[in-house]
Amino acid sequence: MEYSLHSKSANVIWNLLSTAEGLEIWIADKVDRDGDKLVLTWGEVWKVSETWTATIVAEEKMQRIRWKWVDDEDEDAFVELAMVKSDITNDFTLLITDHAYDEDIDDLKDIWDRNLNRLHRKTGL
C-alpha cells in the first residue's frame, strides 16, 4: 500500500516509523521498543486489550523498518514500513508491505487506512 505524506522532513517521518513514541501516535495505543523487540498493545492495558510482540528483522535508518510477529507461524510473513521521497514534490510517501492471505486483504487494507487516518488527524501529515 502507498500513502502520500505531507512532509518534507525525513526525521519526522523516520521517528513515526521507528520509535515507540511515533508508533503510538498512529498504530497502537501503547508501544514498547527494546532493541529489536517491539511490543504493541491495542486497548487499555488495565482493561480489555490485545498485545502482539514482534522482532525487528531489518532496519535501514531513514529508509525502512521491517518486523516479524513472534507468534506468526508463516515464515514469509512480515510488516515493512518504508519512506520514499518524491523527486517532484520533495514530500515523502509511506510504503507499507504487510503479508496477508487473499481472504484477509480487504480487512488489512481497512486497518492500514484507519491507521493513516489516525496519523493525519494527530499530526496533519
Side-chain angles (χ1 to χ4, degrees), residues 65-76:
I65 186 167
R66 177 184 288 194
W67 68 75
K68 294 176 82 68
W69 298 113
V70 170
D71 293 334
D72 198 331
E73 295 176 6
D74 188 336
E75 294 288 322
D76 297 326

Side-chain angles (χ1 to χ4, degrees), residues 11-102:
N11 287 327
V12 168
I13 303 299
W14 183 246
N15 285 332
L16 289 168
L17 303 184
S18 66
T19 67
E21 297 81 10
L23 293 168
E24 279 182 8
I25 290 172
W26 66 290
I27 289 187
D29 298 312
K30 174 79 175 126
V31 178
D32 291 304
R33 180 173 180 182
D34 185 10
D36 66 350
K37 182 179 177 185
L38 284 173
V39 179
L40 293 91
T41 303
W42 293 269
E44 298 174 353
V45 178
W46 58 91
K47 290 185 178 181
V48 176
S49 64
E50 184 173 352
T51 299
W52 287 34
T53 302
T55 301
I56 296 170
V57 295
E59 184 172 8
E60 296 174 49
K61 190 171 183 176
M62 306 300 238
Q63 292 183 28
R64 70 183 181 105
I65 186 167
R66 177 184 288 194
W67 68 75
K68 294 176 82 68
W69 298 113
V70 170
D71 293 334
D72 198 331
E73 295 176 6
D74 188 336
E75 294 288 322
D76 297 326
F78 65 88
V79 174
E80 182 172 280
L81 307 176
M83 51 190 276
V84 177
K85 189 171 188 177
S86 168
D87 292 334
I88 297 170
T89 65
N90 286 326
D91 284 342
F92 281 92
T93 298
L94 175 60
L95 303 177
I96 300 172
T97 305
D98 194 348
H99 179 272
Y101 296 106
D102 289 340

